[in-house]
Amino acid sequence: MKFTDGYWLLREGVTAAYPAEVLDVSESDGALEIHAPTRPVRSRGDLLKGPVLTLRAHTPMPDVIGLTLTHFTGGEPRGPEFELTGSGATPQVSYDDEHATLTSGALSVRVARGGPWHVEFLAHGRTLTSSGHKSMGIMRDATGAHHLREQLVLQVGTSVYGLGERFGPLVKNGQVVDVWQADGGTCSEQAYKNVPFYLTDAGYGVFVDHPGKVSFEVASEVVSRVQFSAETQELTYYVVHGPTPKDILRKYTALTGRPALPPAWSFGLWLSTSFTTSYDEETVTSFIEGMRKRELPLSVFHYDCFWMREFHWCDFRWDARVFPDPEGMLARLKARGLRVSVWINPYIAQRSPLFAEGKALGHLLKRPDGGVWQWDLWQPGMALVDFTSPAARDWYAAKLEALLDQGVDCFKTDFGERVPVDVTWWDGSDPERMHNYYTYLYNRTVFEVLRKHRGEAEAVLFARSATAGSQQFPVHWGGDCEATYESMAESLRGGLSLGLSGFGFWSHDIGGFEGTPTPALFKRWLAFGLLSSHSRLHGSSSYRVPWLFDEESVEVARHFIRLKLRLMPYLYETARAAHTEGVPMMRAMVLEFPDDPGCAHLERQYMLGPDLLVAPVFSDEGDVTYYVPEGTWTHFLTGEPVTGPRWVRERHPFLSVPLLVRPGAVIPVGAVDDRPDYDHADGVTLRAHGLRPGDETTVRVGDVTFTVVREGDTLRATCSDPAAPWALAAAGHEARAPAGTGSLTLGLEPS
């Protein structure tokens, strides 16, 4: 939200009050409290005038410092609040005539006690960012609404990332971003997944601890600052020190929650009925049998909306006209080795029998007059489940438990963005704060049902909406994209942006959701989709089985499905790192190469885990341009070397895509290519790429650890489990260890 008219003037009707100086400082419970009048105190008469801003500096964990800005304190606190899980910290607090300082780990906040108002965040003696004269303020807009605002300096050359899944340019500098949930597709500035956290490549990130609307002006209103504001009397933000971008994500997700680890089967291919297509058991069986006959491994079958009767969404009942024997049908699918997903949402249509039931029990969101809130958008007369009520959560969960008992394995938790503000929540939550937060309660409710009934290792969602903390309930997909190359590219930007916001797992609709892709586009999107965290074939009004496009699509699908399944030893360890460290599987290049200026703006390529570079092809002809960082990389599919740093232009057939291995990496490749959930260490091949003399690499595959060392022109590898069969490969040579062999040696060509 912009408050100024250029740099010097305020907009018409806007008033502002900025802290001018420090009046006094005190310490309490490891925090600093500072009172800052908004005009200089030259005499006692100036002490009679307000407003006064209270600033509290505190720390939830090492290297993370929070500042809480407060104007009036007389209001009753209303939720919701983000659930933070900081590990605790013992700060160092000091103040003298010149400064008041709080230090947590390597990060300090220092407030000037004399001279102009100035707050700065420092690490190892270096200023990361700061807030100066007319940066922090109490702002009233032309309507009289009260906002708290902060502006943090962007040093020269600093790029800003994150703020959720956003489909515009990956670097947010110059953008206006309103953190406000919306169902706007992938083609607009609106977002399904809004996260008030941004990450920089300058050693820090910033999390604004406000679940409602936060307006960011990222080097836009003031081009040398990031501004954020919210309509509130109190606002807290945290500065998170890295120093690297990956370190920042590790600490941010330690504060807001780490992703759960999805089950291995979820990394295989998901096939959907699509949205408005016709499907019954015969149709579904024909798809599955068609995949089997064409040797296209399938892991999950998904039923979209019309598994329920029209105008009854959601009643969680199979449409008996189409599915007369749902239990038998699910059992037959399970006998084929498939998992089953069904579509749900948190809305209850008026025609659903659950509407009357939920109304009578008080589980539906109400208007201020006590009546149920309803509208006709999406489902006629629909209402929302009030997830602030524990009883409503249990009621909703019970409906899902019945489906799990039938044989359903997981849920696609669609929607959760269009949440009204002219309502009264069961627990008295502030409607503005609940608008974004609703998705957290919705997806947590569903995830907890799965965790309870399927176990921690089996719980997985396919969710669309999210906010800060929602990363704990994976997987998330990118929403309604179009069947175009432009939409394929915007989907990638959204996924990389979400990964830089703390989310570990992400997917998208292969081929696009709206419309029907051309065969060429479908084949290019297959390569991208099957080199993503999770992979799903899904559309709106047309099916996505490959043979409906052309026979080459079948071949391309087979090639990349089986490639992904062979890469499962590598991918699942990357997933484990996302779970334990908060570093995403699909990584913007800046996350792995923050010191390479060539990577700062890259948004058409990514790292899949730490060691594989993927550059999707966005053209029928196969022309692609991508950037290779320093070192000699290796084309995974051909073994050809590529030396960087430089830009590369190539033309790829449909069965190929730029997939490069990082210099010095050892990629574990599995022995199975028809399912994702196998013993990844059994028969694994360690493919070594570009190790230099003296290099040593440790590779974990499940419970087995391998160590690979290059000694001159020899590779030596050892295995922590001598009973496991495995192999070592490099530069076209391979040595295989039979069971009982704990070490291998492989000769290389002299370098």
Side-chain angles (χ1 to χ4, degrees):
M1 180 175 183
K2 291 181 170 65
F3 298 99
T4 57
D5 177 7
Y7 188 66
W8 307 110
L9 305 176
L10 293 172
R11 293 196 168 194
E12 185 175 353
V14 173
T15 61
Y18 311 107
E21 62 183 44
V22 173
L23 178 67
D24 54 42
V25 178
S26 60
E27 177 187 356
S28 176
D29 298 325
L32 276 176
E33 186 164 296
I34 297 164
H35 292 95
T38 56
R39 64 188 68 212
V41 178
R42 297 183 178 89
S43 67
R44 283 191 169 183
D46 292 324
L47 297 172
L48 305 178
K49 304 167 185 175
V52 171
L53 195 65
T54 301
L55 186 69
R56 183 173 179 268
H58 48 97
T59 177
M61 57 183 288
D63 294 329
V64 179
I65 291 178
L67 285 189
T68 299
L69 289 56
T70 307
H71 184 199
F72 292 153
T73 62
E76 288 295 323
R78 300 177 69 189
E81 303 285 350
F82 287 126
E83 297 181 5
L84 304 185
T85 57
S87 58
T90 303
Q92 296 177 332
V93 177
S94 64
Y95 50 94
D96 53 28
D97 291 341
E98 294 185 359
H99 298 99
T101 304
L102 182 142
T103 299
S104 175
L107 180 65
S108 297
V109 61
R110 185 167 66 188
V111 182
R113 297 194 67 184
W117 176 260
H118 190 70
V119 178
E120 60 182 337
F121 292 88
L122 308 98
H124 304 292
R126 182 176 71 89
T127 298
L128 301 176
T129 187
S130 59
S131 172
H133 180 54
K134 291 189 176 182
S135 293
M136 186 185 298
I138 301 167
M139 319 296 289
R140 291 190 184 275
D141 64 23
T143 69
H146 179 285
H147 303 260
L148 291 179
R149 185 194 77 180
E150 175 66 297
Q151 293 175 339
L152 295 177
V153 167
L154 277 180
Q155 295 185 350
V156 175
T158 298
S159 296
V160 175
Y161 309 89
L163 296 173
E165 180 193 47
R166 316 210 79 87
F167 303 105
L170 181 67
V171 174
K172 301 302 185 287
N173 298 48
Q175 297 183 40
V176 178
V177 175
D178 287 331
V179 171
W180 190 250
Q181 306 287 66
D183 177 4
T186 67
C187 301
S188 76
E189 63 183 356
Q190 296 179 354
Y192 305 104
K193 305 170 188 67
N194 289 270
V195 181
F197 166 77
Y198 67 86
L199 180 148
T200 75
D201 55 3
Y204 69 95
V206 176
F207 170 51
V208 181
D209 186 11
H210 183 78
K213 184 175 183 178
V214 183
S215 183
F216 287 86
E217 298 281 345
V218 186
S220 48
E221 184 167 12
V222 179
V223 297
S224 59
R225 302 175 190 172
V226 175
Q227 173 179 300
F228 46 89
S229 61
E231 188 176 344
T232 182
Q233 294 287 343
E234 183 172 278
L235 184 65
T236 297
Y237 70 91
Y238 294 91
V239 173
V240 183
H241 172 53
T244 70
K246 285 197 284 189
D247 290 333
I248 296 166
L249 286 182
R250 291 183 181 107
K251 293 166 187 175
Y252 167 71
T253 55
L255 182 66
T256 60
R258 296 260 168 82
L261 178 62
W265 54 260
S266 73
F267 290 84
L269 181 62
W270 298 48
L271 176 62
S272 166
T273 59
S274 293
F275 173 29
T276 58
T277 52
S278 297
Y279 47 89
D280 52 18
E281 184 173 2
E282 182 179 359
T283 303
V284 168
T285 302
S286 73
F287 290 160
I288 294 169
E289 184 62 19
M291 298 288 284
R292 186 195 65 79
K293 286 182 178 179
R294 293 168 176 84
E295 298 181 322
L296 301 174
L298 185 63
S299 295
V300 184
F301 191 82
H302 169 72
Y303 288 89
D304 218 56
C305 313
F306 281 95
W307 70 272
M308 292 177 283
R309 186 170 180 168
E310 70 278 0
F311 294 156
H312 285 63
W313 305 341
C314 283
D315 63 3
F316 307 110
R317 297 177 182 177
W318 294 86
D319 184 350
R321 301 168 303 176
V322 184
F323 306 104
D325 178 25
E327 290 85 357
M329 178 184 64
L330 294 177
R332 289 185 282 276
L333 291 178
K334 305 295 273 274
R336 291 175 173 269
L338 295 172
R339 299 305 206 284
V340 177
S341 164
V342 296
W343 175 96
I344 62 173
N345 64 203
Y347 309 146
I348 309 296
Q350 184 169 281
R351 196 175 175 188
S352 166
L354 269 61
F355 184 93
E357 181 182 333
K359 178 183 176 183
L361 293 171
H363 296 335
L364 303 181
L365 181 59
K366 293 183 173 63
R367 295 190 182 276
D369 64 6
V372 172
W373 181 93
Q374 292 179 262
W375 70 356
D376 287 326
L377 188 60
W378 177 244
Q379 286 287 286
M382 55 158 273
L384 279 74
V385 178
D386 186 344
F387 288 109
T388 70
S389 163
R393 294 197 297 269
D394 291 344
W395 173 74
Y396 190 85
K399 309 302 178 185
L400 304 183
E401 289 169 353
L403 291 168
L404 296 176
D405 290 341
Q406 286 184 320
V408 170
D409 295 285
C410 56
F411 300 104
K412 170 184 169 180
T413 49
D414 206 350
F415 290 91
E417 304 93 358
R418 289 177 176 156
V419 179
V421 294
D422 56 336
V423 292
T424 301
W425 294 93
W426 177 88
D427 71 347
S429 285
D430 183 315
E432 186 264 350
R433 295 170 70 91
M434 184 54 70
H435 173 85
N436 290 341
Y437 195 76
Y438 183 82
T439 178
Y440 179 86
L441 296 179
Y442 162 40
N443 282 287
R444 186 183 69 180
T445 299
V446 180
F447 196 82
E448 287 177 348
V449 170
L450 289 164
R451 190 154 46 192
K452 175 183 175 183
H453 290 271
R454 290 287 185 262
E456 187 77 35
E458 289 292 300
V460 66
L461 301 177
F462 220 82
R464 188 173 78 174
S465 59
T467 188
S470 297
Q471 67 268 12
Q472 297 170 84
F473 319 123
V475 171
H476 294 84
W477 103 94
D480 297 346
C481 50
E482 297 183 336
T484 65
Y485 283 113
E486 292 80 9
S487 203
M488 178 178 161
E490 70 202 19
S491 295
L492 175 56
R493 293 195 297 268
L496 297 181
S497 184
L498 190 68
L500 293 170
S501 306
F503 286 69
F505 307 98
W506 176 80
S507 187
H508 45 96
D509 294 341
I510 294 174
F513 175 72
E514 297 286 358
T516 300
T518 64
L521 171 61
F522 182 69
K523 286 175 278 198
R524 296 301 183 192
W525 210 319
L526 276 168
F528 166 41
L530 286 158
L531 289 171
S532 299
S533 155
H534 286 72
S535 308
R536 182 175 74 153
L537 293 170
H538 179 67
S540 177
S541 58
S542 56
Y543 301 119
R544 289 291 182 268
V545 287
W547 54 91
L548 294 183
F549 295 91
D550 58 22
E551 283 306 309
E552 189 178 31
S553 294
V554 175
E555 187 180 1
V556 171
R558 183 187 304 117
H559 175 73
F560 284 104
I561 294 169
R562 293 184 179 275
L563 172 62
K564 183 176 187 181
L565 299 179
R566 290 197 306 273
L567 284 172
M568 276 302 296
Y570 170 80
L571 295 176
Y572 205 61
E573 294 312 311
T574 299
R576 200 186 307 275
H579 166 59
T580 59
E581 301 180 31
V583 179
M585 289 191 68
M586 297 175 68
R587 306 174 184 181
M589 297 295 293
V590 70
L591 201 58
E592 285 293 335
F593 303 96
D595 297 325
D596 184 342
C599 291
H601 288 257
L602 297 180
E603 58 186 23
R604 296 195 303 275
Q605 63 186 78
Y606 57 96
M607 297 296 293
L608 182 58
D611 295 322
L612 291 177
L613 186 159
V614 183
V617 178
F618 297 100
S619 72
D620 289 358
E621 298 77 16
D623 294 321
V624 59
T625 301
Y626 60 95
Y627 177 77
V628 180
E630 185 176 3
T632 299
W633 296 62
T634 308
H635 274 288
F636 184 84
L637 299 174
T638 66
E640 293 296 316
V642 182
T643 301
R646 68 185 178 97
W647 284 91
V648 175
R649 290 183 175 87
E650 294 174 344
R651 173 167 286 194
H652 284 255
F654 289 117
L655 285 168
S656 181
V657 67
L659 177 62
L660 274 62
V661 185
R662 192 172 187 163
V666 176
I667 306 295
V669 179
V672 175
D673 67 357
D674 62 357
R675 61 184 304 114
D677 47 344
Y678 57 93
D679 182 349
H680 298 155
D682 186 7
V684 69
T685 298
L686 307 178
R687 291 178 54 171
H689 299 268
L691 272 70
R692 297 168 299 183
D695 283 354
E696 178 176 322
T697 300
T698 299
V699 178
R700 176 183 173 184
V701 181
D703 295 328
V704 182
T705 301
F706 300 91
T707 302
V708 182
V709 182
R710 178 166 181 178
E711 301 170 350
D713 295 326
T714 300
L715 284 181
R716 298 188 186 277
T718 57
C719 174
S720 65
D721 181 5
W726 54 286
L728 177 66
H733 303 284
E734 181 176 315
R736 182 159 294 278
T741 305
S743 62
L744 277 177
T745 301
L746 182 66
L748 303 174
E749 297 294 331
S751 54

